[in-house]
Amino acid sequence: MQEFDSPFWSWYITILTVVSLIGVALFLLKQRTRKLAPGEKAELMENKWDGDLVELNNPLPSWWVNLFWITLIFSAAYLVLYPGLGSFKGTLGWTSFGEYDKEVDAAKAKYEPVFNQFMGQPVDQVAASAEARDMGQRLFLTYCSQCHGSDAAGAKGFPNLTDKDWLYGGDGETIKASIANGRAGMMPPMGAAVGGDQGVKEVANYVLSLSGSPHDAQLAAAGQAKFVACAACHGEDGKGNTMMGAPNLTDKTWLYGGSEATIMESINKGRSGNMPAQLQALGEAKVHILAAYVYGLGGGMPKAPEPAPEAAAPAEEAAPAPAAQ
Ligand code: HEC
Ligand code: HEC
């Protein structure tokens, strides 16, 4: 009622409402004053329906009239206290927005400490808490399962979060950053860079050979030299690069698929998976719990020592076995 841009409708509603209330009150008063004199009989009115249904001019029964007065007084009191008369806000200052804000504040006061209790602990430690895991699972089912699946095992283009094959990294802080800020993997179409259809087929077979998948050795040998076009992102050895989310091509875990046709499609069209940022919508406490949940699904691993890439391998083996995929 506060959004009218001219005062006309506000007054229209106010006057109409007040005049009707007063009108009804006057009508009741008028009816109340006509009483039957002692001994007087109610007169039969003219009309007769359905053969024997007649109308008398009895005064209204007083219980009915009193009920009417009560509703009138209630309406008047309501319209003084609450918004209802045009743009008049009511003396209590109640608004539906205020009501909503109050409910949200109450829910926050109730649940925020529950979510916040884990903020001080590192992600891998939170992952060990059964309570955090339960909360994380509920959050995951609400906010993440539509893309990653309710079992977090992913789908074509949506990474499996339960294995140790990470696009960006599987330590607690990196998982948290993936969730908080989102990720945008970006592989441009590479067909032209490797010399068209034949070149694509050759590189695709070289990619297949990297993971020991069935391939044509001759094509793969021809493709090896062309892989330089890919090395900037996937690494010379094809093991990928977590800085840009370029997948490891030497394992049998595929984001889009490991058939020759699908690999050729990846090369020809490029790929650009997009993970939406969650920090703003969920807040840090929930992101923290989600990171711990994902970490605890089986793929979480301690942060690898920075410069030595060989150190990553033993750390990987020390962690619990990944879910089969
Ligand atoms: C709209 C779909 C979508 C939703 C919703 C979504 N994700 Fe993702 N997520 C993706 C895609 C796609 C990628 C891969 C991005 C890429 O290809 O670079 C990804 C990547 C990730 C990664 C990095 C994986 C790796 O291998 O490094 C994590 C962790 C992750 N998501 C967790 C979550 C969590 C937790 C949620 C819920 C809060 C979530 N995602 C919601 C689509 C989604
Ligand atoms: C600019 C960096 C970049 C270059 C250059 C590049 N890639 Fe990629 N590639 C990526 C990224 C990033 C992804 C993951 C895309 C995503 O997350 O959606 C990817 C995905 C792929 C995939 C899909 C892997 C899967 O698991 O399904 C294949 C196959 C692939 N690249 C092969 C190649 C080949 C072959 C070349 C060279 C001809 C190449 N890429 C060049 C960055 C690159």
Side-chain angles (χ1 to χ4, degrees):
M1 289 292 169
Q2 283 136 45
E3 288 87 13
F4 292 134
D5 41 20
S6 95
F8 172 80
W9 291 109
S10 172
W11 281 110
Y12 177 79
I13 290 171
T14 307
I15 291 169
L16 215 64
T17 311
V18 172
V19 166
S20 327
L21 287 178
I22 293 174
V24 172
L26 288 176
F27 179 72
L28 278 176
L29 278 174
K30 177 168 173 286
Q31 293 301 306
R32 199 71 187 128
T33 49
R34 209 197 74 78
K35 288 208 171 92
L36 285 184
E40 184 190 353
K41 282 234 164 149
E43 293 164 30
L44 204 60
M45 305 302 278
E46 296 279 291
N47 307 319
K48 216 173 189 187
W49 295 275
D50 292 342
D52 58 353
L53 192 60
V54 295
E55 185 184 350
L56 301 177
N57 68 348
N58 271 331
L60 297 166
S62 51
W63 67 265
W64 191 88
V65 175
N66 289 338
L67 215 62
F68 219 143
W69 279 116
I70 290 170
T71 61
L72 273 179
I73 293 163
F74 178 88
S75 310
Y78 182 94
L79 289 172
V80 169
L81 296 173
Y82 290 98
L85 277 184
S87 50
F88 175 61
K89 293 188 175 85
T91 54
L92 289 184
W94 184 94
T95 66
S96 52
F97 297 111
E99 188 80 343
Y100 173 77
D101 288 345
K102 245 196 276 173
E103 278 169 28
V104 169
D105 286 348
K108 262 197 190 154
K110 191 164 155 206
Y111 295 116
E112 234 165 34
V114 180
F115 288 120
N116 284 343
Q117 62 179 314
F118 299 105
M119 282 289 278
Q121 303 169 25
V123 168
D124 52 347
Q125 215 170 308
V126 179
S129 150
E131 188 191 357
R133 212 161 39 232
D134 283 353
M135 286 160 62
Q137 183 173 34
R138 279 195 294 273
L139 291 170
F140 191 90
L141 289 174
T142 309
Y143 298 110
C144 322
S145 58
Q146 70 270 37
C147 290
H148 292 285
S150 51
D151 57 356
K156 183 174 173 178
F158 301 105
N160 182 343
L161 303 177
T162 68
D163 61 13
K164 288 188 180 306
D165 191 62
W166 295 99
L167 294 167
Y168 298 93
D171 65 278
E173 282 313 301
T174 306
I175 293 176
K176 185 171 168 181
S178 292
I179 302 169
N181 310 321
R183 296 291 189 184
M186 181 52 217
M187 163 155 162
M190 294 296 290
V194 294
D197 286 351
Q198 183 59 21
V200 169
K201 202 172 174 70
E202 290 165 5
V203 189
N205 275 274
Y206 176 68
V207 168
L208 284 167
S209 75
L210 291 174
S211 54
S213 306
H215 62 280
D216 181 312
Q218 228 173 337
L219 288 173
Q224 179 163 16
K226 300 195 164 97
F227 194 76
V228 289
C230 326
C233 299
H234 291 281
E236 270 172 54
D237 55 4
K239 286 202 169 146
N241 183 341
T242 52
M243 296 299 289
M244 20 185 146
N248 183 349
L249 302 175
T250 68
D251 58 19
K252 288 200 168 74
T253 306
W254 300 98
L255 183 57
Y256 294 97
S259 68
E260 187 194 59
T262 311
I263 292 175
M264 286 176 69
E265 184 186 312
S266 292
I267 301 170
N268 270 322
K269 294 192 182 157
R271 297 289 190 188
S272 48
N274 186 48
M275 154 85 198
Q278 306 289 324
L279 184 61
Q280 205 165 11
L282 300 183
E284 196 185 348
K286 287 182 190 165
V287 167
H288 197 69
I289 291 170
L290 278 164
Y293 174 72
V294 170
Y295 184 96
L297 288 172
M301 49 178 97
K303 199 167 175 58
E306 285 296 319
E310 305 90 73
E316 224 169 298
E317 270 149 30
Q325 196 214 345

